[in-house]
Amino acid sequence: LLGKRRDGVPEGAGREASAVAPGNPSLGIMLPSSPMHHLLLEALARTVVATSGNLSDEPICIDDEEALARLGPIADAFLVHNRPIVRHADDSIVRVMLGRELVMRRARGFAPLPIALQAPAEEMLAVGAHLKNTVAVSRETNVFISQHLGDLETEQSLAAFHRSIADLTAMFDVSPMRVVSDMHPDYLSSGFARTSGLPAVAVQHHHAHIAACMADNNLRGEVLGISWDGTGYGPDGSVWGGEFLLTDGPTFERAASFRQFRLPGGESAIREPRRQAIGLLFAHLGVEAFSLRSLPPFRSFGPGEITTLRTMLTRGINSPLTSSAGRLFDAVASLAGLRQVSSYEGEAAMALEFAVAPHVNEGYACTITAPGIAGETAEDPRLIVDWSAMLSALLEDIDGGAGTPLIAARFHNGLVEAAVAVARRVARERVVLSGGCFQNRYLLERLVRRLTEEGFRPYWHQRVPPNDGGIALGQITVAAAVTKS
C-alpha cells in the first residue's frame, strides 16, 4: 500500500525515512509477509527500510548461492534459510484511488489469481510487452496472469521470462494453441512468439491496454478507450501513446490522438526529458525554438550538443515521431525545471504529478482539429488533440514567473478537458481509461469526475495494472475475440 507522508516522513517512522524515495509524497508500506519476517522485525523492534533482493532491471534472487554471487558487492550480510524458494515474487504495489484499490504491480498475494472472461477461450499463451512484463495463459473462461517479471533488459530477466512461461503452462495444465504478443517487431517477447513454433497473433499495444481494462471491468461491446502511456508501436511505424480508440473487442479504430512531435536521439530521448522538451518546442516553433536558450532544457546542454540536436531535428535524423502522452508529461516536467535526466522510468512525470497545486481549476487549452497539421496526413480521419495553444500558454507562464505547482496543475487540468472534449465529439457513453499515465492519481481522479459530470460512464483498472503489467491479459482478450469472429 502507498501511505501518505507527514512532514516528509510517514507517521511513526524514524527521521531516516526522509532519505527514502526523496521528493515522493508517498511511501510503500508493508507488513511482515512470512514467519521469518516476523522474527526478524521482532528482533530489530523498529521500522525497517526494505527493498527487493536484486540489482536494477534484474529479477529477485531466490537461491542462496545466486544471491551471494549477484548481491555480494552491495550487501553487508545475508539472512539465509534451508527452505528453498520455488519461484520469485515481488511485493505487490497497490494505490487507493477514487475510494478503491488499484493494483500497480501484481505479484505476491494477487498472482496467479484468475481474471474471468465472459466466454470460454481456446488455450493460449500471451507473452506481454517489453517493460513491466507479465505472461498469461487462458483455460476455458479464466486467464491466469504471472507475477510481475519486470523489464526484459537483461539475461537474468529473460531467463525468468522463460521459466515463468514453463511454470504457468505446467501449473494450469495448458497446452497453448497459439502465442499472442505485442505488435512491436523488436520486443524480445515478440521474438519468442515468432520462434515458438505455434501460430502467432500480434496485438497493437494500446488496443491491448483497453482490452485489459474491459476484462478487468467485465465489459463487452463498443467503448471509447483512452490509452495514454510512454511508448507503443503503431501500425504506421511511429511511436503511439496518446490514443483514443473506438473498440468493440476484436477490432479498433483510432478516433483521435495527440499531435506528434519528434524525439531527438530516439531511445536516449526517453531517458532525457530535456530532449523531449526540445523536440516539443521544435514541433511548435521550428528552428526559432533554439532561440529560447534560457529555458531549463537548453541550459542543461553544452553549445555543441545543442547544435547537434538542431541538426537532428531539422533533418529528421534518429528523431522518431511520437503522439505519446507520457512523453508530453516528461517534456513539460523538463520545461518546468523539475527533471532534465531521469534515473528511472516515470521519474519526471511523477515529479510533475507531485508538484500539482491543489484547488486550481483552470487549465491550459488544447485544440481539437482534423488531421493535416505538422506532417499528419489529411486522409487520416482521426481527430488531433493539438497542444500548441497549451504550450504557448505554458511558456507565457514560465516567462511571467508562475510557480511550478500552478503550471503543473494547469497542464493536468488541460489534458483532462481535452479528453472530455474528444469524448463529446466521439459520443460514446462508456469510456475506458488505461495505460501507464493513469497511475497518476490526480489525472485519473479528475478525469473520472469530469467524465461523470458530463454524463459519461468511465471505467478504470482495479485488479490488473493500467501499466504494461496488464498487457498480457489484453492480448488474450483480443486474440480470443478475433478467433471467435
Side-chain angles (χ1 to χ4, degrees), residues 72-115:
I74 62 171
D76 296 321
F78 290 84
L79 177 62
V80 298
H81 198 284
N82 61 359
R83 186 177 184 182
I85 300 171
V86 177
R87 61 186 62 87
H88 80 275
D90 284 83
D91 298 309
S92 294
I93 299 177
V94 174
R95 194 175 190 186
V96 176
M97 299 190 189
L98 294 156
R100 75 182 197 195
E101 70 274 15
L102 184 149
V103 175
M104 299 172 68
R105 187 167 73 193
R106 193 174 190 267
R108 183 181 295 123
F110 292 95
L113 294 173
I115 301 295

Side-chain angles (χ1 to χ4, degrees), residues 310-436:
R310 177 171 176 163
T311 300
M312 292 171 70
L313 287 167
T314 54
R315 298 183 182 178
I317 300 170
N318 191 23
S319 300
L321 288 166
T322 184
S323 60
S324 169
R327 301 286 79 89
L328 197 59
F329 269 89
D330 286 353
V332 172
S334 169
L335 290 168
L338 290 169
R339 294 290 186 279
Q340 303 307 323
V341 178
S342 294
S343 58
Y344 56 87
E345 185 197 10
E347 182 181 14
M350 290 167 64
L352 194 64
E353 175 193 354
F354 301 150
V356 169
H359 313 304
V360 173
N361 287 317
E362 68 268 22
Y364 300 127
C366 289
T367 305
I368 313 298
T369 184
I373 61 170
E376 312 238 10
T377 59
E379 294 78 16
D380 191 332
R382 77 186 189 279
L383 301 170
I384 300 295
V385 180
D386 187 359
W387 36 256
S388 298
M390 169 184 280
L391 185 56
S392 293
L394 188 151
L395 292 174
E396 288 179 6
D397 272 354
I398 292 175
D399 189 54
T404 299
L406 180 61
I407 291 171
R410 287 175 173 170
F411 172 71
H412 280 79
N413 296 345
L415 290 186
V416 166
E417 293 308 313
V420 172
V422 171
R424 289 197 205 101
R425 296 278 287 269
V426 176
R428 297 298 190 279
E429 182 184 17
R430 299 187 301 174
V431 182
V432 172
L433 310 176
S434 189

Side-chain angles (χ1 to χ4, degrees), residues 271-324:
R271 297 184 293 272
E272 298 183 27
R274 57 187 182 174
R275 289 176 178 264
Q276 300 170 50
I278 291 172
L280 187 72
L281 291 169
F282 181 81
H284 182 48
L285 300 170
V287 293
E288 291 300 316
F290 289 88
S291 65
L292 304 176
R293 300 294 181 92
S294 62
L295 291 175
F298 288 106
R299 295 202 306 267
S300 69
F301 283 110
E305 294 173 304
I306 292 177
T307 300
T308 300
L309 289 169
R310 177 171 176 163
T311 300
M312 292 171 70
L313 287 167
T314 54
R315 298 183 182 178
I317 300 170
N318 191 23
S319 300
L321 288 166
T322 184
S323 60
S324 169

